[in-house]
Amino acid sequence: MIILKAFKDLILMKNILSRKLPHSIHVLGGLSHILEGNTFQLKMCVDSWPTFSTAICYRQKQVEGRLEIPDVCSIFSNNQDKLRRLLTDDSLFKWGKNLEFRVESTHHQILKEIASLRGLHLKDIYGRLLTYIHYSPETMSRPPKTFKQPMTSLSECHAELVLKSMCCGTSKEEINLVKTYIKYLPNYCMVDEKGQPVSWVLTDEFNEIRLAYTQPEYRRAGHLRELYFTLIDHMASAGLPIFGCIHEENRACQNAVQSFGMTPCFETSCVLTSDDCITAPPKTGNLPV
């Protein structure tokens, strides 16, 4: 197990992962964040260097000011044996309750087996997700605006609104995490005449586009499309990868992102370790984007 720290190694790693798209996208997104200042204190681990078959980008629990940020991990691997070896290396990270994995679904079974060995379960957070990537954002053709709402950024006080609108949990940890996304990472929103958000889109520590939403009374006006274009322009100009995960049943969002050039690549699992019994995710409410 090797933790990459030297800037030259991280740059080389970025070049290698860029040639292994789309399967490397979740780890490449985390690496891009590391190179942009690494506010979330991610670490990059490989099975060997400078050649490797497995890379894990992860964060162990930390505190940002008074905000506790939960554990999270993304994986790229084309060798299941070496992946298993890294995931069972206790010097890499500690397995415990509330360790979140965002990985290609082909790795789900290994995670499940290792979690079970440690007396933990895996809970599927959102159900089946599809990863979408934009390979050439510079080719996007921006549509004309059809609304008058001004565009700005979210405030940390909007974190609970974001989670409630997506029918997500609103635990202290979840609210703190979204507050940290808002504080440090690119996000955009439209506001009404009172300055309240009516549509928004955020990014996370892996540079994934997430938590996009429009209030029902403002839908079908092109708000999210304009927010997506603005966010993608910003991220592309900074050299960041453009991708996001969409629920398989969310056809409207799938059609929208495909209309401006994003491509579906593979099924993604977003799973959480738990010492509780596994329960199925709710089928009602807003589907994740």
Side-chain angles (χ1 to χ4, degrees):
M1 183 269 289
I2 300 170
I3 303 291
L4 298 183
K5 296 180 180 180
F7 185 76
K8 63 179 180 61
D9 289 337
L10 295 171
I11 290 294
L12 176 57
M13 179 74 163
K14 182 177 181 180
N15 293 335
I16 295 171
L17 290 175
S18 296
R19 297 194 296 268
K20 296 181 181 293
L21 291 172
H23 301 285
S24 62
I25 188 64
H26 290 276
V27 173
L28 177 61
L31 176 57
S32 298
H33 177 77
I34 292 173
L35 291 168
E36 288 295 314
N38 202 15
T39 300
F40 288 82
Q41 298 301 302
L42 297 176
K43 295 181 181 179
M44 180 62 66
C45 170
V46 291
D47 62 309
S48 59
W49 188 253
T51 59
F52 64 93
S53 67
T54 300
I56 298 178
C57 186
Y58 69 100
R59 178 187 67 236
Q60 289 280 241
K61 189 166 292 184
Q62 58 177 293
V63 175
E64 168 57 41
R66 290 179 295 175
L67 304 182
E68 190 176 85
I69 303 173
D71 303 354
V72 69
C73 177
S74 63
I75 292 170
F76 163 76
S77 181
N78 53 30
N79 186 311
Q80 300 282 284
D81 289 336
K82 290 185 178 180
L83 173 58
R84 183 178 283 102
R85 203 169 302 152
L86 278 185
L87 290 173
T88 53
D89 184 345
D90 292 334
S91 65
L92 176 58
F93 56 77
K94 295 179 181 179
W95 283 76
K97 186 177 178 181
N98 296 333
L99 172 59
E100 180 181 330
F101 290 90
R102 297 185 209 159
V103 298
E104 196 169 346
S105 292
T106 52
H107 303 317
H108 192 171
Q109 186 59 35
I110 288 180
L111 294 176
K112 186 177 180 180
E113 291 172 4
I114 298 173
S116 179
L117 288 173
R118 283 160 168 72
L120 299 167
H121 300 287
L122 283 186
K123 291 197 297 185
D124 193 327
I125 302 176
Y126 300 121
R128 289 184 62 188
L129 303 175
L130 300 175
T131 291
Y132 279 76
I133 299 177
H134 207 311
Y135 291 101
S136 51
E138 68 282 356
T139 64
M140 290 192 308
S141 177
R142 198 182 195 110
K145 295 181 180 180
T146 58
F147 44 83
K148 298 180 180 179
Q149 279 80 14
M151 186 183 299
T152 182
S153 297
L154 291 165
S155 167
E156 290 177 59
C157 67
H158 298 135
E160 191 167 352
L161 170 66
V162 169
L163 288 168
K164 284 183 176 179
S165 298
M166 296 301 298
C167 296
C168 297
T170 53
S171 68
K172 179 181 177 182
E173 275 198 342
E174 289 165 319
I175 292 173
N176 288 344
L177 183 60
V178 174
K179 282 183 178 180
T180 314
Y181 289 163
I182 291 171
K183 182 177 180 180
Y184 292 110
L185 302 178
N187 74 84
Y188 291 97
C189 72
M190 301 281 188
V191 297
D192 61 17
E193 62 278 0
K194 297 181 180 179
Q196 295 302 306
V198 300
S199 183
W200 55 80
V201 61
L202 291 82
T203 56
D204 67 10
E205 63 270 63
F206 294 119
N207 282 298
E208 179 183 337
I209 299 173
R210 296 186 67 195
L211 300 171
Y213 183 80
T214 298
Q215 302 282 13
E217 62 269 32
Y218 290 91
R219 291 175 184 171
R220 301 186 183 280
H223 295 83
L224 271 183
R225 178 179 289 270
E226 182 64 20
L227 292 172
Y228 263 94
F229 271 94
T230 303
L231 179 61
I232 289 172
D233 280 346
H234 173 90
M235 296 178 71
S237 66
L240 301 175
I242 311 298
F243 75 104
C245 296
I246 303 176
H247 196 282
E248 66 168 353
E249 296 179 9
N250 195 338
R251 302 295 184 187
C253 192
Q254 290 177 37
N255 292 337
V257 299
Q258 288 183 76
S259 72
F260 50 82
M262 295 188 78
T263 304
C265 298
F266 52 81
E267 186 180 328
T268 297
S269 286
C270 187
V271 293
L272 187 72
T273 57
S274 170
D275 56 10
D276 301 320
C277 294
I278 300 175
T279 56
K283 288 293 184 181
T284 58
N286 298 293
L287 299 174
V289 296

